[in-house]
Amino acid sequence: MARALPYLLLLPASLFLLAFFFYPFGLVVVESLTRGGEWTTENFSRMTGHWKFSQAFWNTVWLAAIVVPVQLIMALTMASVVQKLKTGRSGLLYIFAIPLGISDLAAGLIWLAIFEQSGFLNSILHAMGVIDRPQLFLGYQSLWVIFLAVCLAEIWRATAIMMVIIVAGMGLIPKEYNEAAEVFGASRWQRFTKVTLPLLRPSLQTALILRILMAFEVFAVVVALGGTTLPVLMGETFQWQFQLQDRGVAAAYAMVILGLSVAFSLVVLRLLHVPKGARI
Amino acid sequence: MAEIVIKGVAKSFGAFTALHSVDLTIADQEFMVLLGASGCGKTTLLRIIAGLETPTHGEVWIGDRRVDHLPPRERGIAMVFQNYAVFPHLTVFENIAFGLRMAKLPQAEVTRRVTRTAELMHIEQLLKRYSGELSGGQRQRVAVARALAMEPDVILMDEPLSNLDALLRLEMRAELKGVLAESKTTTIYVTHDQVEAMSLADRISVMNGGYIVQADRPTQVYRNPAARFVGSFIGNPPMNFLPAKRSENGRWQVAGQDFEGPETAAAEFAIRPEDMHPAEAGLEAEVRVVEPLGPHTLITAQVAGQPFRAVLESDRAITPGEVITLAPIPDRIRWFDPETQKAIA
C-alpha cells in the first residue's frame, strides 16, 4: 500500500492527461492522415502544394533561428550580471520578469502601438524631424520590417523565461568551482566558457527546449503585427482550420510543428548531453 | 624562492572584523599551519594570500613581489579546496591538466606532468573517470595532484582533509606530508584539527578572534603557550588552569599548595594533564570520572572546586570518589597573567 501510494496520488493527473491530451492528440494524428474517412497523405500534399507553405515554414524556422540565439546570449549575460549582485537581486529579477506576465497577443499589441502608422515610433521620428509624414512600417512591401518587429517583440517578451531558468541553474553551481578555475589561471571569459557553461548544461537544456518549442508556436505576436502578411506555421494552421474550414490540412500543419519541435528538442538534448558521473 | 610576507593585513566584512592587522613571515619551503576554531580568520587569511579575497589593509608579498593587487593566477600559487572543487564535467586527467592548459603548456609537457603527479598521488588508474565516479578520498587526491602539477612556488590548502573519514584522514595526512616535503614548495595549510597541525607543521600559527596568538614550532606551541588561549585550545585534554594567590613569603598559593612563581602581582597557575604524577604531597584532587585509555588513564577530578584533568600511568587502580594527591613536575608549570591572558616568562 505504502509503495502504491505515490502512484495512486499521481493517478488523477495521469488520467486527466491521457483523457484530455493524448486522446485529442491521437485524433489530430488520425485527422491529418485521413480524408473523407479514407487513409491518405493528401492533406500533406495539399499543404505542401500551397504557395504559402514554404514561406510559413521558412519564416517560422528563421524566426526561431534568430530569436532563440539572441535570447540565449542576452539571458546568459543578464543572468551573469544578476548572479554577481549582492543587493537588489530579487527586485531586478521581478523587473526582468514583467514581460512574462503579459500574454503574447498583448505583447504583440504593445509593439503594434509602437510600429503602426499612428504609433510611437512615427510620433518620435516626426517630432525629431527625421520624417515629414507618418510612414507605413508594417506594410506588405516591407516584409523585413514586420519580421524585425516580430523578432523584437519576441525577444522582449520571452527572454526573461530563459533568464529565470539560467539564474536558477547558476545558483546551483558551487562557487568553489569558479574560485578553483580562477586560482588555476582561467580568465573571466575562460571561467565562463570552461566552467560555468558546461556546468550549466542541464539548465540550458531546459531553457532552450522550452524556448524553441515556444518559437515554433509563434502566432499571436505575428498576427498582431502583420496579420497574414507574414505567414508562419501556427498562423496557417489557424487559417486552414477556421477560414478555409479544412481540418485535415490544419492537422497536417500541426504535425509539421510537432515534428520540428521533437526534432530540435532531440538535437538540444544530444548537444547538451551530460555524461553520467559528470554531473554536479 | 618563495618566502611569504604578510604585513599588517586586516579584513572587515561590513561591521565584522575578520582579521585585525596580521603580520606573519613564512620562510621558503616552510610548512605553515594556520590553526584555530571556526570563525577565527584563518580561512580569510588564506583566501587573501590566494587572491580570492581583497584585504581591507596591508600588504602580501610572495617571493620578492607584492601580490595583493594581483589576480590569483599571477601569484604563482596553487590551492586545494575544502570541498575539493574537482570539476565534475572534466575527467580526472583534464582536471589535473586544467591549470597547465590555461598556462598553454605544450601537450607533451601536460601529459608528462599529469602522469607524474597522478603516479605520485596513486590515481594513475583513474585518469579517464569523472569526479562523480570517485570516492571522497580519490577526489582529494585529484585536487592535490592538480595543485602539484602546477609546480607552484606556494601551495595553499583549506582544510583539505576535513571531509574524509578518520582512518583515511590519517593515511592522507602522512602521505601529504611526504609528497609536500618532496615537492619543495612553501605550504600554508588551514585546519581546525590540532593533531593535524602538530603532525604536519614546521610552524603553527594559532589564531583566535582575528589575531595570530602565537606562531612557533609545534613543540613550542604545546610546551610554552604564549597565551592562555593556546594552552586551552591545544592539547587533548587541554591545559589545566588554577587561580593562584601571592603568599607573604613571596611564593604562590595554589589549591593550598606552595609553588615558586613569577615576580608579578597576579598570576594564574597552569599545568598540562600529563605533567603530573601521584605523590605524597601535592594538589588534592577529588576523582569524578576515570577513563582507562590503555597506556594511560584519564582522570577528571576537582581541585579547589575547579575542574581538573590528569593523564596518569595506568598501573595504579583509581576509583571515582577517591582523593589523590598529584605533584606537578616543577619545570612544566606555566604562569599566565590573568589580566592580559599572556604567558609570564
Side-chain angles (χ1 to χ4, degrees), chain B residues 66 97 132 136 168 177 210 220 235-236 276 281 299 326:
Chain B
R66 183 171 171 188
L168 206 55
K177 188 167 184 169
Q220 275 296 315
N236 188 19
M276 289 172 284
I299 308 287
L326 296 168

Side-chain angles (χ1 to χ4, degrees), chain B residues 300-320:
Chain B
T300 305
Q302 286 233 308
V303 173
Q306 302 278 329
F308 195 89
R309 287 207 174 98
V311 175
L312 305 175
E313 294 289 318
S314 51
D315 46 9
R316 192 178 149 223
I318 296 168
T319 49

Side-chain angles (χ1 to χ4, degrees), chain A residues 42-62:
Chain A
E42 207 202 318
N43 291 326
F44 285 91
S45 44
R46 263 195 200 211
M47 173 183 73
T48 50
H50 194 270
W51 64 275
K52 267 192 169 177
F53 172 76
S54 100
Q55 272 191 28
F57 183 86
W58 288 112
N59 281 341
T60 307
V61 170
W62 274 112

Side-chain angles (χ1 to χ4, degrees), chain A residues 67-103:
Chain A
V67 169
V68 175
V70 169
Q71 285 188 324
L72 179 65
I73 290 166
M74 285 179 65
L76 279 169
T77 315
M78 284 152 79
S80 306
V81 174
V82 166
Q83 192 66 19
K84 287 267 181 313
L85 294 178
K86 289 199 172 71
T87 50
R89 216 179 117 173
S90 47
L92 259 174
L93 272 179
Y94 280 124
I95 292 174
F96 283 153
I98 286 175
L100 283 182
I102 296 172
S103 79

Side-chain angles (χ1 to χ4, degrees), chain A residues 176-177 179 184-185 194 198 277-278, chain B residues 47 73 83 87-89 99 130 132:
Chain A
E176 277 197 335
Y177 291 130
E179 292 183 342
F184 286 99
K194 306 253 185 238
Chain B
R47 289 172 60 87
R73 61 196 162 116
N83 300 321
F87 301 119
H89 61 291
Y130 287 105

Side-chain angles (χ1 to χ4, degrees), chain A residues 175-188 190-191 194-195 198-199 201 275-280, chain B residues 47 52 72-73 77-79 81-89 98-99 102 104 130-133 146-147 150:
Chain A
K175 73 174 184 0
E176 277 197 335
Y177 291 130
N178 236 303
E179 292 183 342
E182 196 178 349
V183 167
F184 286 99
S187 65
R188 196 176 283 270
Q190 284 170 322
R191 296 206 294 277
K194 306 253 185 238
V195 178
L199 293 179
R201 276 180 292 181
K276 201 163 168 270
R279 290 168 197 154
I280 297 175
Chain B
R47 289 172 60 87
L52 294 171
R73 61 196 162 116
I77 53 160
M79 188 161 170
F81 290 81
Q82 183 171 10
N83 300 321
Y84 323 131
V86 172
F87 301 119
H89 61 291
F98 189 87
M102 292 298 128
K104 298 205 164 59
Y130 287 105
S131 84
E133 301 162 308
R146 181 173 61 181
M150 296 296 288

